């Protein structure tokens, strides 16, 4: 150094010291496998627990799955899948068995609250975050593996699915486990068979088929095919013992598939493959259509807050495409993404299997310090602010929804979201100093935001809890503990789950007939069904008593409903 040069002193500001402290802490945790997995598990638990027990059943898929499991436990038939009297053959048996196990292990019985049925998704989400570490550590960067596991746990879409009694989070567990085994086979210096890796790989694929049919196999086929083409040979797959593995996978899935085929006389295959899968590929189903590119447009939101770091590091990630971890992630993500973009039917969770892989590539860029942190560019400044922006947006949305629905103002939830935005601003301050620390604090901002949104704001919106409020009013109006129930004009699956399997979903005329059959009965009649209900009641010589009027918002229909609760006078029952 020349005598005229001034030594550069380290930044001694408080934010810089915080960044160095977090960086050092993450580096120390990453040196221990146990500490890394524990840190990921704790992060995931804190991110997923808000709202798990307090959110109502979310129409429509969640209560359909939970109700079908409920009926399995009621009837003792664990082979067939039914929603009330209708066969439900859209998905295989795996999630129903796991939800049944959750009910029995907790000792709650078939009338367990919805959060019991959510436990497989909740536990699966924690396991998926830990398996993200296991997949990433195969490429030899412990700190990147720790970051990948912690950060995938804080992405918003993972958090949403962790709170729903559906298939997607358990599917993510199986796919991520298979990726971990496949990555190790790909990285191996020889093609010697590994029974341990083979057992993990083929069992995971078999389980994925029992959860959601061929989706998991398709996700894994992408890197298998592309990496083999890159290598010019499929020989590296010998490490996974393909022939015995396929036989084992068939043994895992065949008993139930044969059993349900016989029991349903082939109807399961027609519904699950012919209608649910094939029709989604060739046409828009259930009004869930969107043009190609839709997933790219919503990615910033669904992968929040990690999307900001992925976009900031994208050029570096592309520059290092030949690096093993980046190459593996690219061969798994790009073909699958292109396929789901081309499919007409689109739902946000269709790209969920890619999140651990994108998190792995992003964490690698964060760990190497190669993310573009140029603070002079407006886009980089915007990305740095991303962890603070969504809590603000959620707070504004929560207040607006409460006003529109006529609910109580979510004051506590809004304050928590403001605190989350403050934590996000700290992350933004750290962005130009330490992307490791910034990303960790961004994850913390996400956790705080989830406590505000999922833990307080959403559970407090009483107008969206129509099924629960309606059933409570029905029981209050009844003269017995377990009245027979019927609903005209409101047929959401959440009502069946809350009210019980026996509730009848009918029209206004049949609701009057239902009451006329005597006994302890309650009818719920939507305002637009009242004319038919009253006309039929007059024909039958009935004088139904209106016991309550319940107003609420049906989030699926996107409209407000006015439900009238009727019973017959005591002398008429």
């Amino acid at each position: 150094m020349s005598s005229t040069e001034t030594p550069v002193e380290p930044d001694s500001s408080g934010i810089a010291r915080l960044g160095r402290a977090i960086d050092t802490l993450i580096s120390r945790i990453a040196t221990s496998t146990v500490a890394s997995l524990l840190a990921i598990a704790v992060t995931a638990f804190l991110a997923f627990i808000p709202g798990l027990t307090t959110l109502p059943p979310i129409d429509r898929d969640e209560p359909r799955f939970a109700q079908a499991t409920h009926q399995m436990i009621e009837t003792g038939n664990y082979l067939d899948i039914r929603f009330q009297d209708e066969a439900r053959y859209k998905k295989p048996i795996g999630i129903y068995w796991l939800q049944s196990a959750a009910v029995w292990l907790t000792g709650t019985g078939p009338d367990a609250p919805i959060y019991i049925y959510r436990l497989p998704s909740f536990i699966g989400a924690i396991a998926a975050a830990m398996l993200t570490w296991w997949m990433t550590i195969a490429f030899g960067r412990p700190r990147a593996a720790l970051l990948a596991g912690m950060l995938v746990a804080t992405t918003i879409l993972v958090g949403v699915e962790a709170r729903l009694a559906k298939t997607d989070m358990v599917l993510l567990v199986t796919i991520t486990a298979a990726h971990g085994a496949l990555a190790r086979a790909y990285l191996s210096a020889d093609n010697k068979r590994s029974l341990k890796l083979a057992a993990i790989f083929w069992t995971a694929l078999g389980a994925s088929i029992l959860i959601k049919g061929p989706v998991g196999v398709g996700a894994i086929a992408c890197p298998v095919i592309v990496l083999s083409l890159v290598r010019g040979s499929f020989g590296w797959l010998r490490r996974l013992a393909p022939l015995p593995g396929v036989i084992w996978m068939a043994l895992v899935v065949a008993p139930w598939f044969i059993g349900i085929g016989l029991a349903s006389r082939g109807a399961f295959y027609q519904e699950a493959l012919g209608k649910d899968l094939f029709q989604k590929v060739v046409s828009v189903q259930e009004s869930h259509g969107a043009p190609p590119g839709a997933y790219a447009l919503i990615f910033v939101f669904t992968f929040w807050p990690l999307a900001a770091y992925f976009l900031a590091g994208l050029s570096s990630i592309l520059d290092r495409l030949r690096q093993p971890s980046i190459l593996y992630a690219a061969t798994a993500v790009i073909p699958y993404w292109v396929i789901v973009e081309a499919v007409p039917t689109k739902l946000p969770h269709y790209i969920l299997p890619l999140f651990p892989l994108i998190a792995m590539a992003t964490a690698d860029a964060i760990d190497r310090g190669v993310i573009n942190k140029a603070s002079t560019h407006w886009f980089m400044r915007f990305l740095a602010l991303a962890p603070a922006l969504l809590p603000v947006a959620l707070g504004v949305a929560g207040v607006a929804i409460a006003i529109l629905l006529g609910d109580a103002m979510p004051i506590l939830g809004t304050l928590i979201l403001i605190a989350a935005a403050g934590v996000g601003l700290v992350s933004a301050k750290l962005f130009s100093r330490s992307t490791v620390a910034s990303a960790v604090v961004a994850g913390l901002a996400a956790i705080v935001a989830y406590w505000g949104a999922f833990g307080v704001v959403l559970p407090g919106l009483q107008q969206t809890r129509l099924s629960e409020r309606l059933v409570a009013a029905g029981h209050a109006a009844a003269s017995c503990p377990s009245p027979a129930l019927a609903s005209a004009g409101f047929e959401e699956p959440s009502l069946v789950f809350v009210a019980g399997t026996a509730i009848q979903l009918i029209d206004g005329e049949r609701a009057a007939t239902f009451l006329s059959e005597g006994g302890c009965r309650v009818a719920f009649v939507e305002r637009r069904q009242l004319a038919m209900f009253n006309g039929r009641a007059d024909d039958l010589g009935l004088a139904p008593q209106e016991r309550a009027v319940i107003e609420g918002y049906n989030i699926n229909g996107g409209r407000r409903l006015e439900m009238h609760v009727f019973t017959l006078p005591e002398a008429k029952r």
Side-chain angles (χ1 to χ4, degrees):
M1 180 183 298
S2 68
S3 59
T4 59
E5 290 180 329
T6 303
V8 177
E9 296 184 3
D11 189 345
S12 60
S13 65
I15 198 73
R17 291 198 300 272
L18 175 63
R20 289 194 292 270
I22 294 173
D23 207 322
T24 300
L25 177 63
I26 293 298
S27 296
R28 288 178 178 175
I29 293 174
T31 61
S32 167
T33 295
V34 173
S36 295
L37 292 174
L38 181 61
I40 293 168
V42 170
T43 300
F45 180 87
L46 293 175
F48 305 146
I49 196 66
L52 181 74
T53 62
T54 55
L55 286 168
I58 308 298
D59 283 310
R60 295 185 170 108
D61 279 350
E62 180 182 46
R64 283 171 176 159
F65 280 106
Q67 175 61 25
T69 302
H70 174 105
Q71 291 180 215
M72 279 187 175
I73 301 168
E74 278 185 323
T75 62
N77 183 348
Y78 293 92
L79 175 66
D80 206 0
I81 308 168
R82 296 198 164 267
F83 182 89
Q84 292 193 300
D85 294 330
E86 295 183 4
R88 179 166 168 78
Y89 292 153
K90 290 180 179 294
K91 299 293 184 290
I93 197 68
I95 192 63
Y96 305 102
W97 283 349
L98 291 173
Q99 290 178 355
S100 298
V103 170
W104 286 114
L105 289 173
T106 55
T108 48
D111 293 326
I114 188 63
Y115 76 86
I116 298 296
Y117 293 89
R118 289 170 175 163
L119 288 178
S121 293
F122 175 74
I123 296 170
I126 297 174
M130 297 171 75
L131 284 167
T132 300
W133 174 90
W134 184 66
M135 176 184 68
T136 308
I137 198 68
F139 296 94
R141 299 191 65 83
R143 196 166 69 155
L146 173 60
L147 288 170
M150 292 176 65
L151 295 175
V152 79
T154 59
T155 57
I156 191 168
L157 183 58
V158 173
V160 168
E161 294 296 331
R163 295 170 174 85
L164 296 177
K166 294 167 59 235
T167 57
D168 300 286
M169 196 48 61
V170 179
L171 177 69
L172 184 65
V173 173
T174 63
I175 292 175
T176 309
H179 274 306
L182 185 65
R184 283 165 172 79
Y186 167 68
L187 294 169
S188 176
D190 57 58
N191 295 334
K192 184 179 179 181
R193 178 184 295 181
S194 170
L195 293 180
K196 178 181 177 181
L197 289 181
I200 294 171
F201 182 77
W202 295 106
T203 302
L205 286 185
S208 77
I209 294 172
L210 286 175
I211 294 295
K212 206 168 183 176
V215 175
V217 176
I220 293 299
C222 291
V224 167
I225 294 171
V226 178
L227 287 172
S228 297
L229 293 175
V230 170
R231 284 196 169 185
S233 170
F234 285 86
W236 61 281
L237 292 171
R238 284 197 291 268
R239 188 157 175 77
L240 296 175
L243 181 58
V246 169
I247 294 172
W248 168 245
M249 182 177 69
L251 290 174
V252 169
V253 304
W256 180 80
F257 275 94
I258 293 172
I260 192 61
L262 295 173
S264 69
R265 297 183 180 181
F268 171 80
Y269 300 109
Q270 290 179 332
E271 181 72 22
L273 298 177
K275 294 183 179 180
D276 187 56
L277 180 63
F278 180 72
Q279 288 188 8
K280 285 180 179 178
V281 171
V282 299
S283 63
V284 174
Q285 295 295 300
E286 300 175 348
S287 301
H288 296 148
Y295 290 115
L297 289 175
I298 66 171
F299 176 74
V300 172
F301 176 73
T302 56
F303 203 53
W304 182 87
L306 199 51
Y309 300 88
F310 173 78
L311 293 174
L314 183 57
S315 62
S316 172
I317 291 171
L318 295 176
D319 289 341
R320 294 178 294 112
L321 195 56
R322 292 185 178 274
Q323 179 185 315
S325 62
I326 305 301
L327 178 61
Y328 185 89
T331 60
V333 169
I334 295 173
Y336 188 92
W337 192 297
V338 170
I339 291 169
V340 295
E341 287 282 17
V343 171
T345 301
K346 288 182 172 63
L347 287 168
H349 60 258
Y350 285 1
I351 60 169
L352 188 63
L354 306 180
F355 277 23
L357 297 149
I358 301 172
M360 177 173 72
T362 306
D364 182 83
I366 293 171
D367 180 45
R368 293 178 185 273
V370 294
I371 284 183
N372 183 357
K373 297 178 287 187
S375 59
T376 57
H377 196 287
W378 69 268
F379 186 60
M380 288 301 158
R381 293 199 299 271
F382 172 77
L383 292 179
L385 285 171
L389 295 177
L390 188 62
V392 173
L394 290 174
V396 172
V399 171
I401 291 171
I403 293 172
L404 290 173
L405 297 182
D407 257 310
M409 292 294 290
I411 296 174
L412 176 59
T414 303
L415 291 175
I416 295 173
L417 288 168
I418 291 172
V423 177
L425 289 175
V426 175
S427 171
K429 287 285 188 180
L430 288 166
F431 188 80
S432 62
R433 294 172 172 84
S434 168
T435 46
V436 171
S438 176
V440 171
V441 176
L444 177 60
I447 292 173
V448 178
Y450 301 152
W451 279 89
F454 295 120
V456 180
V457 174
L458 293 178
L461 296 174
Q462 295 301 311
Q463 291 295 305
T464 64
R465 308 181 80 108
L466 184 55
S467 293
E468 294 169 307
R469 294 167 55 230
L470 194 56
V471 171
H475 281 274
S479 60
C480 63
S482 301
L485 303 174
S487 177
F490 180 58
E491 302 178 350
E492 294 296 343
S494 62
L495 180 61
V496 179
F497 178 78
V498 175
T501 307
I503 188 172
Q504 297 184 34
L505 306 179
I506 51 183
D507 60 22
E509 287 188 3
R510 292 166 61 198
T513 304
F514 167 81
L515 286 181
S516 73
E517 294 171 356
C520 183
R521 292 171 178 260
V522 180
F524 309 135
V525 183
E526 202 268 326
R527 178 177 55 82
R528 290 171 299 177
Q529 295 280 333
L530 283 175
M532 288 193 296
F533 174 79
N534 290 327
R536 180 58 177 163
D538 289 342
D539 292 342
L540 294 170
L542 303 177
Q545 289 186 338
E546 184 176 278
R547 306 297 298 273
V549 178
I550 305 298
E551 295 186 13
Y553 190 79
N554 183 5
I555 59 174
N556 286 295
R559 57 188 175 88
R560 184 177 290 277
L561 296 181
E562 181 182 290
M563 300 296 299
H564 297 252
V565 181
F566 290 99
T567 64
L568 289 183
E570 290 289 338
K572 298 289 185 180
R573 297 183 188 179

